């Protein structure tokens, strides 16, 4: 069983993974004991367009640790893999591919042909991240790989016998929720992406600080009315008085002024009390058609910010939308789906007249208001940012910009500088937070549009109760507070997207009763419709037949035809015994389909064996950023659909950051590619690093130096096994060693230490303290086994007693097996390789039995004895190093105090201590001779006579010189940290680094002072 000198991760990892897969090691139920409990983890499905990044690597490592641990314990495990169809991302990728290869565009292809292209791309390139997860060592049951669009029209996948028809589950849930009144269509404000022309979720919006402007404009009071504008100090004294015929507002988006429905002030703002309820004029658009809007009160405006008055544009601002809803203010949509100013509708004069009637109290509906285009004729069709420039110019040229005095320094022709004061429009240059689409990179427009919504208030109750009553535990506990906050303040959930790739909404529309007879010559889109929600067109047809009393329904694909053209195309000209139905073109948001991930992947709505066995699932490991978007929605939907919780524990983690705690981003150049880490250090080092930084609720800092250390840790274990081979622990016929009934204290001690770490690791993993498990295994394997036990075992292997040698071989073989077993969930590759290189095994390590021994293996006497020996050796070595005793020097030692227990430990292990501490002898004396450095040990007081071994004066001089240099560094660091300006202005990571440097230097200073004190004792 000869071993290579080092572990070749690049060669071994793919070989080992292939062996695991071919042996079916990861399949659901593999290695399960009879009558075993089920343990199931659902992978957070990565986008089908995705590639492995550090977030995936970290997240999946934690899941794999849990599933491998439970599988070795004999649970009936399933780690369910799969990918999300990623609506926008996939459509974008395929459209780019079409353009790159000079194929017809999406629009030119049409919906059906374009979707064929998407499925082609999915089969060719959509499995990249699955293969990359395998490189990480993820032990998912990949034979069950699910896909959120599986079974949808056009699905070309083959060889996925175990993959459920996810599409049918999604459609069934939509129909059931619609029929229960939990889903409806309506107008609400959404994040609108003008590039992709679709609504997007908050998670797909990046708020970026950019250089912006705040324009201040006057809204003239109707009819030339005036009022006394007063400003007062805290005591109520008037500090400013002015007669005004306007109210001032400030805006960062002047183009939206065209859709204002009101101006709002706070109810307690006395400055505007005289004009509340009055009308004011929007200062833009043709003068003869200027709209008047009311001045209202609402709690939203901050009277201490700006002028205290805000314009209310309900169709283009989320805060304004809430004010408009509360106040019954009409909301006018100004833009098209591409972000240009609207070009549809009647001429502006007619549209403004309609809006003015609403402002004066005329009743209106949302649809009536939405149809009104309040963009002046000359601005229609302009890009929104071009329209902004035009609006600012028009208002300013009319003298309706708020003006301020500005003093400038002007240099004349003779070089002399003069101060010139002029009146200029009040425009603040200030940073603003602007929303961008995370994929399109264009500015997102809040837009009032027709969308499909889940009435979340009706389904949120059980999801809240499940966490409150403890059925579901969220870790860390701070996640529970966030969960409650979101769900207790939940808004309707927008589930529709204006895309082609996705689950098309199963709703067909037909004209309202009797409208079909009046429809010839009418634009199909201008008709009023009734919806028919059904899982298929055949079912929708039955609903339509019942509603209309006709014999047939025809599906009309192109909704842009004239009604009579569509009928003629269908071959029913002159026949009124039919109805024409058009399907809703929108698709469902991917969060809706992924909200069904737990049951959809297990074969629901069929009552499958997997549903019976693995649902509810066990642990969900996911990022805290999608607690609301995914976790809470899975809770709501599973409870609404099958009336069961989807999982019992949610483990939330943060973003993986760089070593300094900074967010990884391409712009800062600190993005780390996990595949490059695997290439350089191996998957085991990346996995161990992930586990070691996974402190519950802590900041996740990926440190490349630690990665090197964990690779070295694997090498340390490899070398320990090589040492065992050298000492004939293994031969060609070796069977796995059982735990020996050891007699030697060293062997008894390491068996007890192994038992302790097994208990510690299980407790840590049960509590999801991955870092504690990793750190315990690191300290045990490197410190106790590879350093101490191997060193302490060398004298035993050199014994002339064959029984001692045999016992030590058995002990070392058993202990190394336990190291491999306990480390396997974190470091599967190197441990599996060592497992196969050391003994004849009944099965691979991945299916080895997880140990259940505990502290009954701890021998208290041996434990106390060997811990005393180790402490004595460590303290002797520390003193030698501190005093700069030459490493090779062997020196005598004296002792003044010696308890019976300490003396017994010394006498039993004298040869071992002398060898490892480089001590020639021990003599008991009344008191230490001059020039002796003291060494403490439990129950003993040792001394090292060093007067003749080191040059005390030279050593003092060296340490004092070092101390002087250190004092200067400490002074500089303390000066920086005590400077309020540094603490206030320096980046957080720079301050943290300075504090860490100070702590390290202070520790170094303390050690040097201690060494000098010891030297003072010597002489």
């Amino acid at each position: 069983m000869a071993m290579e000198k080092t572990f070749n991760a690049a060669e071994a990892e793919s070989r080992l993974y292939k062996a695991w897969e071919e042996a079916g090691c990861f399949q659901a139920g593999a290695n399960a004991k009879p009558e075993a409990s089920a343990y199931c983890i659902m992978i957070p499905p990565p986008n089908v367009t995705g590639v492995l990044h550090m977030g995936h690597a970290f997240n999946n490592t934690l899941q794999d640790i849990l599933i491998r641990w439970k599988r070795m314990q004999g649970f009936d495990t399933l780690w369910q893999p799969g990918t999300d169809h990623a609506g926008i991302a996939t459509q974008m990728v395929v459209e780019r591919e079409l353009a790159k290869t000079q194929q017809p565009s999406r629009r030119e292809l049409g919906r059906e042909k374009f979707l064929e292209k998407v499925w082609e791309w999915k089969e060719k390139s959509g499995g990249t991240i699955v293969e990359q997860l395998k490189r990480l060592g993820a032990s998912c049951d990949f034979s069950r790989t699910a896909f959120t669009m599986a079974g949808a029209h056009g699905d070309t996948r083959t060889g996925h016998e175990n993959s459920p028809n996810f599409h049918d589950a999604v459609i069934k849930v939509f129909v059931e929720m619609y029929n229960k009144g939990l889903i409806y269509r309506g107008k609400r404000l959404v994040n609108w992406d003008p590039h992709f022309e679709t609504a997007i979720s908050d998670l797909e919006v990046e708020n970026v600080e950019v250089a912006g402007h705040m324009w201040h404009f006057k809204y003239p009071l109707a009819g030339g009315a005036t009022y006394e504008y007063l400003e007062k100090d805290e005591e109520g004294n008037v500090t400013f008085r002015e007669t005004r015929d306007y109210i001032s507002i400030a805006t960062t988006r002047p183009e939206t002024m065209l859709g204002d429905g009101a101006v709002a002030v706070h109810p307690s703002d006395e400055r505007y009390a005289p004009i509340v309820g009055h009308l004011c004029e929007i200062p833009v658009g043709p003068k003869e058609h200027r709209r008047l809007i009311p001045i209202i009160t609402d709690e939203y405006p901050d009277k201490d910010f700006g002028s205290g008055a805000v314009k209310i544009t309900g169709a283009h601002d989320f805060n304004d939308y809430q004010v408009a809803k509360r106040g019954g203010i009409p909301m006018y949509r100004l833009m098209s789906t591409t972000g240009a100013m609207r070009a549809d509708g009647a001429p502006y004069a007619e549209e403004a007249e309609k809006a003015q009637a609403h402002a004066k109290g005329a009743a209106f509906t949302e649809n009536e208001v939405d149809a009104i285009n309040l963009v002046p004729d000359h601005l229609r069709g302009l890009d929104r940012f071009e329209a902004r420039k035009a609006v600012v110019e028009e208002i300013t040229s009319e003298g309706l910009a708020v003006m301020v005095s500005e003093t400038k320094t002007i240099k004349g022709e003779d070089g002399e500088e003069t101060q010139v004061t002029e009146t200029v429009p009040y425009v603040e240059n200030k940073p603003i937070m602007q929303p961008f689409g995370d994929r399109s990179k264009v500015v997102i427009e809040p837009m009032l549009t027709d969308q499909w919504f889940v009435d979340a208030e009706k389904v949120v109750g059980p999801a809240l109760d499940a966490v409150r009553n403890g059925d579901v535990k969220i870790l860390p506990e701070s996640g529970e507070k966030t969960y409650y906050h979101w769900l207790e303040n939940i808004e309707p959930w927008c589930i529709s997207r204006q895309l082609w790739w996705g689950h098309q909404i199963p709703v067909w529309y037909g004209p309202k009763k009797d409208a079909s007879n009046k429809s010839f010559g009418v634009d199909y889109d201008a008709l009023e419709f009734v919806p028919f929600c059904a899982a298929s067109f055949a079912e929708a047809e039955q609903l339509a037949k019942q509603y209309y009393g006709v014999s047939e329904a025809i599906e009309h694909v192109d909704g842009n035809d004239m009604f009579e053209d569509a009928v003629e195309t269908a071959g029913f000209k002159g026949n009124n015994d039919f109805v024409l139905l058009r399907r809703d073109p929108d698709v469902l948001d991917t969060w809706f389909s992924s909200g069904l991930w737990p049951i959809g992947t297990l074969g629901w709505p069929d009552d499958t064996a997997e549903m019976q066995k693995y649902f509810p699932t066990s642990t969900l490991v996911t990022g805290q950023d999608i607690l609301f978007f995914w976790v809470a929605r899975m809770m709501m939907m599973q409870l609404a659909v099958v009336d069961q919780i989807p999982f019992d524990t949610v483990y939330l983690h943060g973003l993986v950051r760089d070593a300094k705690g900074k967010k990884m981003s391409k712009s800062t150049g600190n993005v780390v590619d996990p595949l490059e880490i695997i290439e350089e250090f191996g998957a085991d080092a990346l996995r161990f690093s992930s586990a070691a930084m996974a402190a519950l609720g802590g900041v996740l800092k990926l440190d490349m130096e630690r990665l090197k250390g964990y690779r070295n840790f694997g090498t340390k274990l490899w070398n320990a096994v090589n040492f065992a081979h050298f000492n004939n622990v293994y031969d060609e016929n070796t069977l796995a060693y059982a735990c020996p009934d050891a007699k030697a204290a060293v062997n008894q001690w390491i068996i007890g230490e192994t038992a302790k770490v097994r208990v510690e690791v299980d407790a840590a993993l049960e509590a999801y303290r991955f870092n504690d498990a990793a750190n315990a295994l690191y300290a045990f394997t490197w410190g106790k086994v590879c350093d101490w036990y191997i060193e302490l075992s060398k004298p035993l292997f050199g014994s002339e007693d064959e029984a001692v040698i045999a016992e030590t071989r058995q002990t070392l073989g058993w202990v190394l097996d336990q190291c491999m077993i306990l480390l396997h969930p974190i470091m599967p590759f190197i441990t599996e390789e060592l497992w196969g290189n050391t003994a004849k095994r009944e099965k691979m390590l991945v299916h080895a039995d997880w140990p259940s021994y505990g502290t009954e293996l701890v021998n208290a006497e041996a434990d106390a004895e060997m811990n005393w020996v180790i402490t004595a050796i460590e303290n002797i070595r520390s003193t030698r190093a501190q005093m700069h005793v030459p490493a090779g020097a062997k020196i005598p030692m004296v002792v003044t105090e010696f308890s019976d227990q300490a003396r017994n430990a010394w006498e039993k292990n004298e040869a071992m201590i002398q060898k490892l501490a480089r001590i020639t002898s021990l003599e008991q004396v009344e008191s230490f001779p001059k020039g002796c450095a003291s060494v403490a040990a439990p129950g003993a007081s040792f001394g090292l006579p060093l007067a003749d071994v080191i040059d005390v004066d030279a050593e003092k001089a060296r340490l004092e010189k070092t101390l002087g240099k250190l004092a200067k560094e400490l002074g500089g660091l303390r000066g920086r940290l005590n400077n309020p300006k540094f603490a206030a202005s320096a980046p957080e990571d720079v301050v943290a680094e300075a504090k860490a440097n100070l702590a390290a230097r202070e520790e170094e200073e303390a050690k040097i002072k201690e060494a000098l004190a010891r030297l003072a004792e010597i002489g």
Side-chain angles (χ1 to χ4, degrees), residues 132 224 266 274 377 593 634 646 693 718 742 757 784 801 846 885 983:
Q132 292 173 337
H266 195 274
D377 299 327
S593 49
M634 280 192 287
M693 67 179 169
W718 189 270
V757 81
K784 298 290 173 66
D801 187 336
V846 66
V885 175

Side-chain angles (χ1 to χ4, degrees), residues 765-801:
L765 292 180
E766 289 286 358
Y768 302 95
R769 291 182 283 104
F770 298 93
N771 61 314
D772 287 347
N775 293 336
L777 285 167
Y778 185 93
F780 168 73
T781 306
W782 189 307
K784 298 290 173 66
V785 178
C786 297
D787 279 353
W788 282 111
Y789 180 63
I790 284 179
E791 286 301 314
L792 297 172
S793 70
K794 287 176 181 177
L796 301 181
F797 280 122
S799 170
E800 294 181 4
D801 187 336

Side-chain angles (χ1 to χ4, degrees), residues 786-839:
C786 297
D787 279 353
W788 282 111
Y789 180 63
I790 284 179
E791 286 301 314
L792 297 172
S793 70
K794 287 176 181 177
L796 301 181
F797 280 122
S799 170
E800 294 181 4
D801 187 336
E802 286 298 325
V804 170
I805 295 172
E807 177 191 298
T808 307
R809 282 179 182 150
Q810 186 178 0
T811 302
L812 180 57
W814 178 81
V815 167
L816 288 174
D817 272 8
Q818 304 315 299
C819 288
M820 296 173 210
I821 292 169
L822 296 175
L823 280 167
H824 180 77
I826 303 178
M827 304 181 83
F829 291 110
I830 192 170
T831 53
E832 187 72 79
E833 184 80 340
L834 287 170
W835 187 258
N837 281 340
T838 47

Side-chain angles (χ1 to χ4, degrees), residues 22 25 33 35 119 180 185 220 259 304 344 527 583 597 627 653 660 664 668 691 794 827 904 907 929 999:
E22 288 178 351
C25 293
K33 293 177 181 176
E35 307 302 320
W119 280 110
K180 290 177 181 176
R185 183 170 173 80
D304 297 320
D344 61 311
L527 298 175
R583 187 168 185 177
W597 190 243
L627 173 60
H653 59 78
K660 293 184 177 181
M664 293 185 188
T668 54
K794 287 176 181 177
M827 304 181 83
N904 183 54
E907 289 174 352

Side-chain angles (χ1 to χ4, degrees), residues 742-743 745 748-749 751-752 855-865:
K743 302 295 187 291
Q748 291 174 335
W749 165 77
I751 290 169
T855 52
E856 73 277 0
L857 295 185
V858 177
N859 183 305
E861 205 172 294
D863 192 56
E865 178 183 327

Side-chain angles (χ1 to χ4, degrees), residues 144 164-165 169 597-608 610-611:
R144 293 185 49 81
N165 186 335
W597 190 243
I599 56 174
T601 55
L602 295 175
W604 186 89
D606 294 334
D607 186 20
T608 63
E610 288 79 11
M611 271 293 292

Side-chain angles (χ1 to χ4, degrees), residues 306-344:
S307 70
V310 294
K311 68 188 198 66
I312 304 302
T313 319
H316 290 279
D317 183 275
F318 286 101
N319 290 316
D320 293 3
Y321 174 77
Q322 297 297 338
V323 176
K325 291 289 281 186
R326 287 192 293 269
I329 298 166
M331 295 181 267
Y332 300 103
R333 180 173 54 86
L334 299 171
M335 296 174 202
S336 70
T337 58
T338 62
M341 307 307 286
R342 285 174 60 179
D344 61 311

